[in-house]
Structures are given as structure tokens and as C-alpha cells.
Amino acid sequence: MDLTSTSGGGDSRQIEETKPLLGGDVPAPEGTKMGAVPCRRALLLCNGMRYKLLQEGDIQVCVIRHPRTFLSKILTSKFLRRWEPHHLTLADNSLASATPTGYMENSVSYSAIEDVQLLSWENAPKYCLQLTIPGGTVLLQAANSYLRDQWFHSLQWKKKIYKYKKVLSNPSRWEVVLKEIRTLVDMALTSPLQDDSINQAPLEIVSKLLSENTNLTTQEHENIIVAIAPLLENNHPPPDLCEFFCKHCRERPRSMVVIEVFTPVVQRILKHNMDFGKCPRLRLFTQEYILALNELNAGMEVVKKFIQSMHGPTGHCPHPRVLPNLVAVCLAAIYSCYEEFINSRDNSPSLKEIRNGCQQPCDRKPTLPLRLLHPSPDLVSQEATLSEARLKSVVVASSEIHVEVEPASTAKPALTASVGNDSEPNLIDCLMVSPACSTMSIELGPQADRTLGCYVEILKLLSDYDDWRPSLASLLQPIPFPKEALAHEKFTKELKYVIQRFAEDPRQEVHSCLLSVRAGKDGWFQLYSPGGVACDDDGELFASMVHILMGSCYKTKKFLLSLAENKLGPCMLLALRGNQTMVEILCLMLEYNIIDNNDTQLQIISTLESTGVGKRMYEQLCDRQRELKELQRKGGPTRLTLPSKSTDADLARLLSSGSFGNLENLSLAFTNVTSACAEHLIKLPSLKQLNLWSTQFGDAGLRLLSEHLTMLQVLNLCETPVTDAGLLALSSMKSLCSLNMNSTKLSADTYEDLKAKLPNLKEVDVRYTEAW
């Protein structure tokens, strides 16, 4: 019988190395120069089937010990009837059996396998592989042709990768190493195996090669990067390779390799990476790449074009991961600018000690301590004069951080109450103790200063995109920057542009992120308000933030009460200067009885009457108060139903026509009223039942009702456009015993939350909702 060695039905199944390993002379592709950035090489992918790389599997094994000249005779003998089933594992170095007995008592090293072929001969088992080893042959018989071909390609791949690991572990001539790397890359690109490790294995080999040879020249660096570029188009670089790329970006930022090779790699990272926490070196590589772009002649213009390319030409970015990944890179880069100051916290007086005006003796290392200095000579001389009559301030030597802090005895009353607290005071409170100084004078190094300028500019670019602004506001709402950055005047001044963009955006999901993420924590609204650590104007940004917040659903008692408690002084000052928004705020505080102190009320009235716009709005407030007293005077009907198609104006005219102090049941069902009528409904003191069935009453009105009509017992919201955002506000209406949310956008989670927070709720209609 003639023995025939076949390719298994196609040329793609027999993939042999066409170029030698180390030591051979391989001509470079025509038109390609060493170190030049090549055009993207065409991928010589094999046509036909694709296979998953095998790591282990069941297969029949037969081992024949013979001289090679007698192989054809042995194949036709009865000896081949002795097949043994084995579960083989394709390890990194050898082919081994889970049951090392019989034919596979010893593992077969890849270095011992001389050749791998597909076999077929007459009257013999089908789907066989031949592994030629010294002194014999190992035959593997699979169950079908696909499994045979999968074993064939997997064995070839393991054998070649093992060989490349060996030959590239001891390089001698780097020009030959470069040729071998190109051959390795081509082998990965043309392999019919489809597996993540197919492209990652060559990258890991090159990464190990670079980590073990740190004395390469810059030109050799570029040549290696160009050689592995085709593999990087669809694969993330491994961690060690990321460090190599970072080094190249730092040392040669103007190299064309950065633009031509690294750009698609970084674009892929930003579009597809899911968690920088698991691969921080990818984030560092992206950070260094952007800094390299900033070092080009065009500087930020190149960075801006890169951001535009990541967003895309349309009004909506098609890649949802780009923005959070860019923000993560920016936050890490900004943090690194202040890392030296952050690391010095352990060796400097604690914030509590600074706040209390005394330094506890301890064994601190004098690495980077803290010096408390005044920002100007005038303040220094003033403090020197006053220091004799009061406690001395703390002074600790430093050449980096300059902070002025007055002793606790001269602090504001609102802040001295928390001095005795055992908890560590935050940096913002410490800086606000002294009105003479509100920021740290932090001097960054030249490199850190350039890094800070670049990444703050990127945040500004991100805030210019309408579709990115909601997510950006949400990501920045918890204020993810270190305290040192918030105390740095340059940083807060540059970031002010981003906060202004949030304040100018009419969407509630954007400007609501100006407020703190939770109670007791400062938000951007507090930081950029007068007296805040980041405020550098006369309250212009503060006024615009209040204006946009008051124009949305935050025109409530809770928001006004917060302003009265914390920002009443700035509000009165801006109102005194004629700011219309602040005049309206003071009028609402009087209208909603936010201010209890009579002297404060008189002061607010005096402030309003000091300007023309304030005097006019205060007179309008007095007129409304007289109408309100008339409206709430006892008497009038207890039940009232408006005709269908009535509007907000119709309701306002009706309520202004007489007294409704006894009105308990109001039906606005099937009318055209909207959330705007809530301002009139909250003036009905005895209202217990309200029917808003099939109206346009929405979330904004629902929030206002929840603030004022706390005694409401029955509420019908059937077929109204209310959503979870407004329905959650009902949790404060503890008197509700009947609630109809039929055909609304109620979710199951909100329904469960309302049931838990409304103990008196007995009748609920949630039909045709998600909670039904």
C-alpha cells in the first residue's frame, strides 16, 4: 500500500513556516525600511474553516517504534489495531496524557516532534494525524475530520510557539530578531485558529523579550513596534508591553510611531475597555499617549482632533464606553499631579490639628511637611500685630504648600461648633476657617503643570458635547478630585468652565448634578458659591446655578431652606446689587415662611426695598399674600369640580374669585392643567382629596405638592405623565391612604419603596404599570 500525506482537503490545513528561525537570512519586504512606519499589511488569512485552540481533549493513540523506511509496511499490519484511548493535554512544553500509561507513559515534548502531518491510506482508520518523533511515530485518531483538523492546527501552533519562545529567549543579532518577530506576527495573522491567545501569545513573547533587554536603541524600539503593529489592531497590549509603549511616548513623543501605530491601539482601548481597575497599565499607556500628542507642535489642537475622532461625526457618540474611559484617564492623570502632596499627608500635621490650632508632638518624618503662611505681606504684618493678643497660629516648615489658618478661637460660629468633634475635619472646612485665605498656594513642577493643563482642557472639551454632558455631570457629581486639587487656585479656575456648562444646560439630569450626591457632603454648588473654596468671582456663577436650579423641579422648600441656612448672606448681597434671581429667592423665602427670625425677615425686606426690581417684586409678594389670606379665609365650598378642558389660567381665576378655606375635595379630572397649577394648589390649607385623572400634571408639580400638601389623604394620578422621579417624592406625604397610579410610568422598585415609606396607604391602583 502506498502511504499518502495530504493536507486534509485544503491548503489552509497545512501551514508550515516559510521563513527560518534565528540564524537564517530573511529578506525584508520590498519597500519597507528599517524603522519606517509601514502601510497596514494585508492580512493573509486562510480561507475555509476556523477552529478553537485546543487545550485538552479525548483521542485514540497508537505509538509505533520503527525505522522510517518501514513505516508503510507497519501501517498495514495488525499492530495498528492496538489503539488506546487517552485524554491528552496540550501544555506549553509538551503533549501529555491524564493517565500516563501505555503508549503515553511519557509525555511527548514539542521539541522532539519533527513533523506533524495528516494521514490517510487504504483500508485503514480515518481521521489520523502522524507525529514524527526520533525512533518512531505517534498516531492520533479523531472522531471526525473537523476534530482531526482542530488537533492538527492546535499541535502545529503549540509546537511553533514553543520554538519561538526558545529561540527568542537568547537573542544575539537584533536585525535577525526583528525578522523573526515579523515571521511570528505573520504566523499569528494567517492561522486558522480563532482564539484570544493566538494574537496574545506573540505579544507576550515580544513583551518578555523587551523586558529582559532594556539596552535597546530608540531605532530598535521603533522597529519592534512597527513589526507587531498588525497584531495590535484587534488586541490589547499586555501589561509589560504597555510599559514599553509608555516609555516610548515619554522619550520620543514626536515620533511618527506614536501617531501611526499607537493611535488605533488607544482608540480600541477607549472604545472597548470595560474596567481600568483590572488593567491599570492600559490607562497609564492611554495617559502617556495623550501627553505625547500634547507635545506635538499643534499641541492641544491635536488632542482636540483626537477627542473628536473618539466622539464621531454625528451628534451622538456610538461608543458608550469612550466617555467613562476618558474621564477615568483624566482623573488618574490629575491625581498624579498632586500625588507628592497627597503622599505628604502622613508626614504633616493632621487636618484636625491644623483646625484646632495646635500641633501634637509626634515622630513624623520631615519628608514634606506643611507650612502655614499668609499669602501677602500685608496679611503677615496684620497677623503679627494681632497674634500678641490671641493664640498663635501653627507654623510648620515646608517649601511646597502654603496655607493660612486662623486659630479656632477666631473661627466663624458655624464652624467652631464642629471643632470638638473627634472626626477629621475636611480640607474645605479648614480653608474656610480664615476669610483672608481660601485656597492653598500650591506650586506644581513644570511637567505636572503641563499634565494638569492638558487633562483639565480635555474635561472642558468633553463638556462641550451635548450627548456626553449628562454622563460627565453624573461622573463628576461626587467630586472625584483630591482635596489638594480643590484647594489649588489654578485647577478650580480652569474647571470653572465645566461647571458653567453644567449650569447652562437646561436638562435637569445635568444641572441637578451641581448639588451634592448625598446629604452632608459638599457639591459643586457649595464649592463655587460665595465663601466656597473654589469661588473666585463676585457670585456670578453662583447666581446662574441658583437660577437654573430654581427654574427646574428644585423650586421647593427644601432647596430654599438649604439656601437660608448656608447661603443667606451671599443671596442678600447679590440681591442688594440688583440680581433678579436672588431677589426672587428672597421673596420666595418670605412667601414660604422659610425665615423664622423676625430680625432676619426685616433685614430681607430692607434688602428688597433697596433696589427697584426688589421693591417691585416685594410689592407683588404683598399683593399675593393678601390674596392668599382671602383665599384661605374660612368659608366657601368643601367640594369643587372644574369643567373638562379647563386650563391652569382657569383654575387661577377661579381660586382668586373667593374664599376656599374649607375646600377639602378638588377634582381636576380630564382638564388641561399642568404642573404649573401646583403653585395654586399648595395654597389650599384644608385640601385632603385631589383628582388629577387624565391631566398633564407631571413630576415637577408632584414634587411641589409633596413639599406643601403633607395632609393630603387621597390622590388620583391615573393616566398622567408622572414617572418614578416624581412618584418617589410622595414618600414624604405620610397621610396618604389612597393612591391611584393606574397607567403611569411607575416601576416595581418605586412601588415597593412607596409601600415601605407610606404606612397609612391602604388603597393602591397600579394596573397597567410595570408594578402590576
Side-chain angles (χ1 to χ4, degrees):
M1 297 290 179
D2 294 332
L3 176 65
T4 304
S5 176
T6 71
S7 62
D11 294 339
S12 63
R13 296 177 182 175
Q14 184 73 27
I15 304 174
E16 295 293 342
E17 297 177 43
T18 58
K19 301 178 182 179
L21 294 175
L22 287 179
D25 294 330
V26 182
E30 294 184 5
T32 302
K33 297 181 180 180
M34 295 293 288
V37 179
C39 297
R40 183 175 298 179
R41 282 184 280 175
L43 303 184
L44 304 177
L45 296 177
C46 297
N47 297 323
M49 300 292 291
R50 294 292 182 263
Y51 308 92
K52 181 77 174 176
L53 178 64
L54 276 176
Q55 301 296 339
E56 58 181 342
D58 295 322
I59 198 167
Q60 299 286 330
V61 180
C62 181
V63 177
I64 305 172
R65 302 293 179 183
H66 65 90
R68 295 186 182 183
T69 55
F70 296 101
L71 178 60
S72 60
K73 295 182 179 180
I74 295 176
L75 289 176
T76 59
S77 67
K78 295 182 180 181
F79 184 79
L80 284 181
R81 297 175 185 175
R82 294 180 53 193
W83 293 91
E84 294 179 356
H86 283 274
H87 184 84
L88 300 185
T89 300
L90 283 77
D92 293 336
N93 303 324
S94 61
L95 180 67
S97 173
T99 56
T101 57
Y103 292 141
M104 294 301 297
E105 182 177 1
N106 299 316
S107 60
V108 180
S109 174
Y110 295 137
S111 59
I113 300 177
E114 299 174 358
D115 192 15
V116 181
Q117 291 181 331
L118 300 173
L119 289 182
S120 65
W121 65 93
E122 296 179 6
N123 302 322
K126 298 180 180 180
Y127 318 128
C128 286
L129 293 178
Q130 173 189 340
L131 309 183
T132 303
I133 59 176
T137 299
V138 178
L139 299 178
L140 303 179
Q141 178 179 284
N144 52 61
S145 60
Y146 180 85
L147 190 59
R148 176 200 61 189
D149 293 345
Q150 189 177 17
W151 275 94
F152 171 71
H153 291 299
S154 299
L155 280 168
Q156 274 201 332
W157 174 259
K158 290 284 188 179
K159 176 177 178 292
K160 292 177 181 178
I161 286 295
Y162 174 76
K163 187 184 299 183
Y164 273 104
K165 286 181 179 179
K166 294 277 288 183
V167 297
L168 290 177
S169 61
N170 296 309
S172 55
R173 298 168 54 198
W174 279 101
E175 61 274 12
V176 179
V177 169
L178 183 61
K179 296 175 184 179
E180 297 298 342
I181 291 176
R182 289 173 178 165
T183 305
L184 177 62
V185 170
D186 288 336
M187 184 185 74
L189 295 176
T190 56
S191 173
L193 295 172
Q194 283 189 332
D195 193 271
D196 293 340
S197 62
I198 298 302
N199 291 322
Q200 285 297 325
L203 292 177
E204 290 174 357
I205 291 175
V206 174
S207 177
K208 183 179 179 181
L209 175 69
L210 294 172
S211 64
E212 294 176 351
N213 298 270
T214 58
N215 57 345
L216 298 179
T217 65
T218 303
Q219 188 61 49
E220 290 170 341
H221 279 188
E222 291 196 359
N223 293 339
I224 293 175
I225 294 173
V226 170
I228 62 176
L231 289 180
L232 297 172
E233 293 180 4
N234 297 310
N235 299 275
H236 289 335
D240 291 340
L241 202 57
C242 284
E243 289 191 358
F244 173 72
F245 290 169
C246 290
K247 180 181 179 182
H248 190 82
C249 288
R250 286 191 295 266
E251 294 179 352
R252 297 202 63 186
R254 297 175 180 269
S255 169
M256 288 304 296
V257 169
V258 174
I259 300 295
E260 298 292 338
V261 179
F262 289 168
T263 296
V265 179
V266 174
Q267 288 177 336
R268 186 179 187 278
I269 290 172
L270 292 175
K271 289 178 181 179
H272 302 288
N273 178 59
M274 298 302 294
D275 187 4
F276 276 128
K278 296 180 179 179
C279 42
R281 294 184 185 178
L282 290 179
R283 180 182 61 201
L284 183 60
F285 168 49
T286 306
Q287 176 181 332
E288 294 291 346
Y289 165 79
I290 294 176
L291 290 176
L293 294 185
N294 193 40
E295 292 293 327
L296 300 177
N297 292 335
M300 283 308 302
E301 286 299 319
V302 181
V303 177
K304 184 177 181 180
K305 290 180 180 179
F306 174 73
I307 299 298
Q308 290 174 345
S309 70
M310 295 308 304
H311 179 275
T314 62
H316 184 77
C317 179
H319 304 287
R321 289 299 310 170
V322 168
L323 176 66
N325 286 336
L326 277 173
V327 173
V329 172
C330 290
L331 295 180
I334 292 173
Y335 184 91
S336 68
C337 296
Y338 300 94
E339 194 167 8
E340 183 180 5
F341 303 105
I342 296 170
N343 293 337
S344 70
R345 291 176 185 171
D346 295 336
N347 300 322
S348 63
S350 69
L351 295 176
K352 182 179 177 182
E353 292 172 10
I354 298 173
R355 177 70 171 278
N356 293 337
C358 60
Q359 182 182 5
Q360 300 294 334
C362 60
D363 297 330
R364 295 193 184 95
K365 299 178 182 179
T367 307
L368 184 60
L370 194 66
R371 179 170 57 189
L372 308 181
L373 294 178
H374 290 277
S376 67
D378 294 338
L379 291 174
V380 173
S381 60
Q382 180 183 0
E383 181 65 20
T385 304
L386 297 176
S387 61
E388 298 178 359
R390 60 192 183 186
L391 294 176
K392 293 183 178 179
S393 300
V394 182
V395 177
V396 183
S398 172
S399 60
E400 299 292 342
I401 307 178
H402 309 278
V403 187
E404 180 197 7
V405 178
E406 288 201 317
S409 59
T410 61
K412 296 180 180 179
L415 296 175
T416 54
S418 60
V419 172
N421 193 350
D422 291 335
S423 62
E424 183 81 1
N426 61 57
L427 181 60
I428 297 172
D429 287 342
C430 291
L431 296 174
M432 291 178 62
V433 170
S434 173
C437 179
S438 60
T439 58
M440 281 185 178
S441 178
I442 296 180
E443 296 295 334
L444 298 178
Q447 181 60 36
D449 192 67
R450 288 194 295 270
T451 301
L452 179 67
C454 174
Y455 282 98
V456 173
E457 192 66 28
I458 291 177
L459 290 178
K460 293 162 71 173
L461 292 174
L462 298 180
S463 67
D464 286 333
Y465 290 93
D466 289 339
D467 59 319
W468 275 353
R469 203 174 299 129
S471 298
L472 178 63
S474 177
L475 291 171
L476 297 186
Q477 185 181 15
I479 311 184
F481 304 103
K483 298 174 182 179
E484 287 75 8
L486 300 177
H488 188 196
E489 183 178 2
K490 179 180 178 180
F491 173 75
T492 54
K493 186 176 182 179
E494 292 294 327
L495 194 67
K496 183 178 179 180
Y497 176 86
V498 179
I499 306 304
Q500 285 176 329
R501 298 293 285 161
F502 294 163
E504 294 168 358
D505 196 293
R507 292 169 290 185
Q508 180 195 341
E509 57 181 325
V510 177
H511 57 245
S512 63
C513 293
L514 295 172
L515 299 175
S516 59
V517 69
R518 63 177 183 271
K521 182 177 177 61
D522 283 339
W524 295 115
F525 179 76
Q526 287 79 16
L527 264 64
Y528 279 91
S529 60
V533 67
C535 182
D536 61 348
D537 55 20
D538 293 330
E540 297 177 2
L541 178 57
F542 172 68
S544 62
M545 287 191 291
V546 172
H547 175 75
I548 192 67
L549 291 172
M550 290 296 294
S552 64
C553 297
Y554 289 92
K555 196 173 183 178
T556 61
K557 275 187 174 181
K558 184 178 180 181
F559 182 61
L560 291 173
L561 184 60
S562 175
L563 288 178
E565 291 178 350
N566 303 307
K567 302 298 176 184
L568 183 57
C571 289
M572 293 176 64
L573 177 61
L574 293 175
L576 190 62
R577 295 174 179 175
N579 187 283
Q580 188 169 349
T581 299
M582 294 305 158
V583 170
E584 181 184 357
I585 290 291
L586 296 182
C587 290
L588 288 173
M589 288 180 181
L590 295 176
E591 185 174 0
Y592 292 155
N593 295 320
I594 299 296
I595 307 298
D596 296 329
N597 188 283
N598 291 333
D599 292 338
T600 305
Q601 290 181 359
L602 292 175
Q603 188 176 355
I604 291 176
I605 294 172
S606 300
T607 302
L608 291 173
E609 291 181 337
S610 63
T611 61
V613 61
K615 187 174 182 180
R616 183 174 67 254
M617 296 185 71
Y618 179 64
E619 290 175 352
Q620 295 173 357
L621 170 61
C622 293
D623 293 339
R624 291 198 303 270
Q625 292 290 351
R626 284 191 290 269
E627 293 175 0
L628 179 61
K629 290 181 179 179
E630 179 63 24
L631 174 68
Q632 295 180 344
R633 191 178 61 185
K634 291 298 181 181
T638 59
R639 301 176 61 89
L640 180 63
T641 302
L642 259 67
S644 61
K645 308 302 181 182
S646 298
T647 63
D648 296 331
D650 297 328
L651 177 62
R653 281 192 293 268
L654 178 62
L655 293 180
S656 63
S657 63
S659 301
F660 293 92
N662 291 340
L663 186 62
E664 297 181 356
N665 189 324
L666 175 60
S667 177
L668 302 176
F670 305 104
T671 63
N672 293 331
V673 298
T674 65
S675 295
C677 74
E679 295 185 0
H680 305 290
L681 298 178
I682 62 176
K683 298 175 182 178
L684 302 173
S686 303
L687 192 62
K688 296 181 180 179
Q689 300 181 28
L690 179 60
N691 188 353
L692 296 169
W693 188 359
S694 191
T695 63
Q696 294 303 309
F697 199 87
D699 293 336
L702 212 54
R703 286 192 179 96
L704 197 56
L705 293 184
S706 65
E707 289 280 336
H708 297 270
L709 298 182
T710 56
M711 301 306 295
L712 198 65
Q713 298 177 2
V714 179
L715 179 59
N716 189 345
L717 298 172
C718 180
E719 298 180 8
T720 57
V722 295
T723 65
D724 287 344
L727 292 170
L728 281 172
L730 298 179
S731 59
S732 62
M733 305 177 72
K734 304 300 182 182
S735 299
L736 273 179
C737 57
S738 177
L739 181 59
N740 189 338
M741 296 176 286
N742 189 324
S743 303
T744 62
K745 296 180 181 179
L746 171 72
S747 69
D749 292 338
T750 300
Y751 175 52
E752 295 297 328
D753 188 64
L754 287 176
K755 286 196 303 183
K757 294 181 179 180
L758 297 176
N760 296 324
L761 196 60
K762 299 177 181 178
E763 298 179 6
V764 185
D765 189 350
V766 294
R767 290 176 295 173
Y768 307 108
T769 67
E770 184 184 319
W772 188 30

